[in-house]
Amino acid sequence: MADSTPRARAIAVPAGRLLRRLPWRPLRLLPTLSVCLAACDPPYPPAPETARIPVVDTLHGVAFTDDYRWLEEQESPETRAWIDEQNAYAERIVGDTPLRADLEGRLRELMDAPGAIFPRRAGDYEYFSFRKPGREVGAIYRRPAPDEPREAPTHPDGEFEVVIDPLDLRDDATTGVSIVDFSPDGDLMIYAIRDGGRDEREYRVRDMESGEDLPDRLPAYLYGNVSFNPGGDGFYYSRRSRETGARIRHHRLGTDLEQDEELFGEGHGPERFVGFSQGGDGRWLVYTVQHGWARTDVYLHDLRSGTAPAPLVVGAPARFSTRFVEDELYLLTNLDAPRNRILAVDLENPEPDPAAWREVLPEGEDLLTGYRFIGDDLYADYLRDVSSRIVRYGPDGAVKGEIPIPAHHVATLRSHGDDGNEALLTLTSLLTPSTILKLDLETMETGEWRPSSIPFDGSEYELKQVWYTSEDGTRAPMYIAHRTGLALDGQSPALLYGYGGFNVNLLPRFDARAAAWLEHGGVYAMATLRGGGEFGEEWHRAGMLENKPNVFADFIAAAEWLVDNGYTNPNRLAIRGGSNGGLLVAASLTKRPDLFRAVYCGLPDLDMVRFHQFTDANNMPALLEYGNAAVAEEFEVLRTFSPYQNVRDGVDYPAVMLTQGDLDTRVPPLQARKMAARLQAASSSGLPVILDYDPRTGHAGGRSFSRNVRNAAMELAFLLQQLGAR
């Protein structure tokens, strides 16, 4: 075949990219090149033409040209026509292939299995919400509460009364409902309605006897927590404005919302989250002011005394998670403890001095992530090298034992029964669908309580944890799963997943996409990156603000480790990320386009230089994690990795699939639109850049079950096709 043919051009470029990756060992590349040339990608149809209308911005003396500013006008006829063309192009590239059909059928099996149902008692009923197998969306159900606690798990095919079916609100299954709270007597229920994928939700109050909603309702807006007061004649709520910030208010049932009392929040702007919790039989409200994901201020409000909220801890460079326990306020905190500890404040004498607080549980070698009480004992959740540990402590703080947990698993524990002698232990891993065991807390013997209903057998695969070294010498772990007996010849299709931000712990839970990838012969890898919380606050801060570039360096190092150790090669390596993970993969592909063959980039933040200007649809507190380009010093860091500004013309970019939806009000969807246009115009590799765009979805919802299955199948089909599967 002559080099001038489109087919040859589509292959010659990726092969050339590999040759430029010296000082790699060239002999390692020869098999890769031969496979690549033999596979011969088909010629891809060109992307739809996108008009360039340059707009020049100057920030801190630096000029940026944005050719696609016009795509920010979401409702303009030109943008809507462009979206339709992009969706048609995406479908044309992926196609209705046997591979895609097979994936959709298998993913439907994996994703339609119901999860565990844990009813919540209110009055004379047990309430729960879930999606029954075969239904497109979940609903709220109830059944009469038994006289004694139920021993057996709740079966999803049981006979339940439908309390609220969201299909009655909108018949396309893009609206969801959820239980929020019950009045103390169980006669009233607050529930939330999410219309499509918006973060804004509406809250209504239902009379559970009549089945009718009261006139009292919170219109669709950004809210934090909402809960009834102890008397059940009103409720507290946190209402967050993108312009003025969050405020805590109290609504008395039967009154106008305009009469609601504002209790807290004045002076706290839109870059902060403000929340609350109740304790002491309604005497106390505790307010938390979250400054991004690295600092929390705490205020106590004694409602009985009628005094103003008093600061408990303000300005400390630490996070605080609060819980009322009898006559004390427990604080899970990283104050002077990067791996966290638990402190207790005496509510009868709430001194605003940490030195006066009681230490319930000191910092240990592992990361403390949570705790619960079962009987008189405290059970603490830990992470050790990104695997779960649960340790039991007696009332005196002495260690009484450890819950048996298999290696490389995620575990959760909840009380079962009334005597404190039994618990339910939930286990999951990349190869283990969520399984619930009944645990005898005295003997530590387990018995099956609810086996997984997901039809996946992990026994044919192996899971291991390896350690890679990042650019600056930092070591980090990575989970790798693949079929047992995999030959490390560099020829396997591999998918690398990561997140790296917002103090999020990326844990090896079961995932239907990963399972389907493994079943198609792929290697699945999940990299632990700085910016997450897996090793405590120092690890988190090493990947935020001026240290954010460390996250991308970690991810690139993890990809290089997979190549250098024979798991794959750059022409068989795909990367995947969503939300902050979308920023991760986009920054990685602009920094190292030669290292990846295909990229899935979902719901992404991409224009970090102008992020602070997208004030009507972004998550303003994220500026305290990413940085604010309005600040010169932070701008200098952001401009080095902001994906949209770092796309360069004439570069051989990998194949890219972006996804987004109109109703995303957390990550402005305009970013994915502009990035798709920019990459389509800039890339010289001949590989496709597609945008799959949905008018009803957003960051947090708006997808029916079938749409979720369709999206997952299209994503995996695109990646597998690009890596050579047909």
Side-chain angles (χ1 to χ4, degrees), residues 106-133:
R106 181 59 175 139
L107 286 164
R108 183 171 290 274
E109 292 176 343
L110 292 170
M111 297 168 66
D112 203 22
I117 303 168
F118 294 106
R120 174 177 178 177
R121 179 158 187 163
D124 296 328
Y125 291 89
E126 291 179 329
Y127 292 85
F128 37 91
S129 59
F130 72 103
R131 186 189 60 81
K132 284 193 172 187

Side-chain angles (χ1 to χ4, degrees), residues 582-626:
L583 167 63
L584 167 71
V585 298
S588 298
L589 79 88
T590 57
K591 289 178 178 295
R592 288 296 305 278
D594 60 308
L595 187 55
F596 316 110
R597 178 59 173 76
V599 179
Y600 170 78
C601 180
L603 312 171
D605 274 318
L606 299 165
D607 187 347
M608 308 312 296
V609 169
R610 293 188 64 239
F611 182 93
H612 66 288
Q613 298 176 359
F614 304 141
T615 54
D616 60 345
N618 80 2
N619 187 13
M620 292 298 286
L623 293 172
L624 300 179
E625 182 84 8
Y626 289 141

Side-chain angles (χ1 to χ4, degrees), residues 249-556:
R249 294 175 178 170
H250 180 255
H251 173 74
R252 187 73 62 182
L253 294 178
T255 66
D256 192 282
L257 287 177
E258 296 299 321
Q259 301 174 16
D260 290 355
E261 180 184 8
E262 184 169 299
L263 301 172
F264 184 79
E266 184 66 31
H268 295 290
E271 76 286 355
R272 304 173 186 177
F273 295 112
V274 179
F276 70 90
S277 59
Q278 303 180 59
D281 295 326
R283 174 182 175 181
W284 296 100
L285 285 176
V286 59
Y287 306 122
T288 54
V289 180
Q290 182 182 326
H291 301 254
W293 285 259
R295 174 189 153 199
T296 313
D297 295 336
V298 182
Y299 296 79
L300 270 175
H301 194 177
D302 185 347
L303 300 178
R304 185 181 301 169
S305 69
T307 57
L312 184 66
V313 55
V314 175
R319 291 185 307 274
F320 294 87
S321 176
T322 64
R323 179 188 299 179
F324 288 96
V325 179
E326 297 180 347
D327 58 352
E328 292 183 304
L329 178 67
Y330 274 40
L331 303 171
L332 175 63
T333 179
N334 63 322
L335 179 67
D336 301 323
R339 291 180 297 277
N340 297 333
R341 58 178 174 155
I342 302 173
L343 303 174
V345 179
D346 182 359
L347 289 173
E348 293 303 319
N349 185 28
E351 290 287 337
D353 179 7
W357 304 341
R358 181 172 68 90
E359 187 172 68
V360 177
L361 194 61
E363 181 184 25
E365 294 182 359
D366 299 324
L367 177 69
L368 175 65
T369 60
Y371 63 97
R372 73 205 47 78
F373 290 93
I374 300 178
D376 294 328
D377 293 338
L378 184 151
Y379 292 79
D381 301 322
Y382 292 98
L383 277 186
R384 172 179 289 179
D385 293 340
V386 204
S387 289
S388 285
R389 291 182 66 217
I390 302 177
V391 180
R392 180 181 187 177
Y393 295 91
D396 59 355
V399 175
K400 293 182 66 173
E402 185 166 340
I403 305 301
I405 299 171
H408 309 318
H409 276 64
V410 182
T412 55
L413 193 71
R414 63 187 300 144
S415 179
H416 182 62
D418 293 330
D419 57 9
N421 294 326
E422 285 187 342
L424 297 178
L425 177 65
T426 302
L427 297 174
T428 183
S429 78
L430 282 171
L431 301 181
T432 309
S434 181
T435 301
I436 305 177
L437 305 174
K438 185 166 68 173
L439 173 67
D440 186 311
L441 294 173
E442 297 305 317
T443 66
M444 292 297 160
E445 295 179 354
T446 59
E448 190 176 82
W449 188 76
R450 185 190 182 279
S452 172
S453 56
I454 297 175
F456 177 80
D457 181 6
S459 63
E460 300 179 8
Y461 307 90
E462 60 181 270
L463 174 65
K464 66 183 72 173
Q465 187 183 63
V466 301
W467 290 76
Y468 67 93
T469 302
S470 192
E471 182 179 62
D472 63 357
T474 298
R475 296 180 69 249
M478 173 167 56
Y479 281 108
I480 303 176
H482 54 76
R483 195 174 296 276
T484 301
L486 177 78
L488 298 181
D489 58 4
Q491 300 307 310
S492 298
L495 178 57
L496 175 62
Y497 175 63
Y499 189 79
F502 297 90
N503 196 45
V504 170
N505 298 326
L506 188 62
L507 304 179
R509 303 178 187 276
F510 182 81
D511 178 79
R513 284 175 172 83
W517 185 269
L518 292 172
E519 290 177 338
H520 278 77
V523 173
Y524 187 83
M526 190 180 77
T528 302
L529 312 171
R530 282 174 285 185
E534 295 89 352
F535 293 98
E537 183 57 17
E538 293 172 350
W539 186 260
H540 170 221
R541 289 178 182 266
M544 61 178 280
L545 295 176
E546 72 276 8
N547 295 320
K548 188 65 178 178
N550 288 336
V551 183
F552 316 127
D554 290 354
F555 196 62
I556 289 168

